């Protein structure tokens, strides 16, 4: 009887975790779904009971990557220096997402007889370029602020 209760509780916990991850994926919380799936796959990633997480991880990764790349394209096309920080953060987010999945690879999809697909890209050049542009923008903006009248007004009020 104890064994049956344990098996039932185990299946219930697994089912709740999968449903929570599916809900996050449906609501657009792709990174939350990725985190849930990764945490579930850290132990015994090849078991049949973990297959739902592999499918969810594959889908969440693809959707998160597409969303971030779409945002990047828009920000880059806008050509506004104020976007440099957002661009830099998005490239880092794309890279970090890949790095948390990489240790789990390969992830087999038993029913389909293939490994899950996670297209990995090298964002190092884009990260360096966007970091350089951001640094230059922040430096020139700081120089402008240092020579502006606003600084002198603030200094006079602080001295009083």
């Amino acid at each position: 009887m104890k064994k049956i209760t344990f098996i039932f509780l185990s299946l219930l916990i697994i089912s709740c975790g999968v449903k929570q991850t599916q809900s996050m994926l449906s609501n657009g919380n792709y990174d939350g779904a990725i985190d849930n799936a990764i945490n579930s796959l850290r132990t015994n990633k090849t078991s049949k009971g973990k297959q739902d997480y592999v499918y969810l991880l594959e889908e969440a990764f693809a959707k998160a990557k597409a969303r971030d790349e779409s945002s990047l394209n828009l920000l880059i096309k806008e050509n506004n220096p104020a976007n440099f920080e957002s661009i830099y953060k998005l490239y880092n987010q794309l890279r970090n997402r890949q790095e948390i999945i990489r240790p789990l690879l390969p992830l087999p999809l038993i029913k389909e007889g293939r490994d899950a697909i996670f297209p990995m890209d090298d964002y190092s050049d884009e990260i360096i370029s966007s970091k350089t542009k951001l640094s230059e923008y922040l430096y020139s903006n700081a120089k402008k602020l240092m020579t502006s009248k606003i600084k002198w007004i603030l200094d006079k009020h602080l001295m009083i």
Side-chain angles (χ1 to χ4, degrees), residues 96-111:
N96 291 339
R97 190 179 296 124
Q98 290 180 168
E99 294 305 315
I100 61 171
I101 291 174
R102 196 179 308 272
L104 295 174
L105 299 179
L107 286 171
L109 294 169
I110 298 168
K111 289 180 187 175

Side-chain angles (χ1 to χ4, degrees), residues 42-55:
R42 288 195 197 276
T43 57
N44 200 10
K45 65 182 183 180
T46 58
S47 75
K48 287 184 180 180
K50 305 277 180 133
Q51 286 295 288
D52 288 339
Y53 287 111
V54 178
Y55 284 102

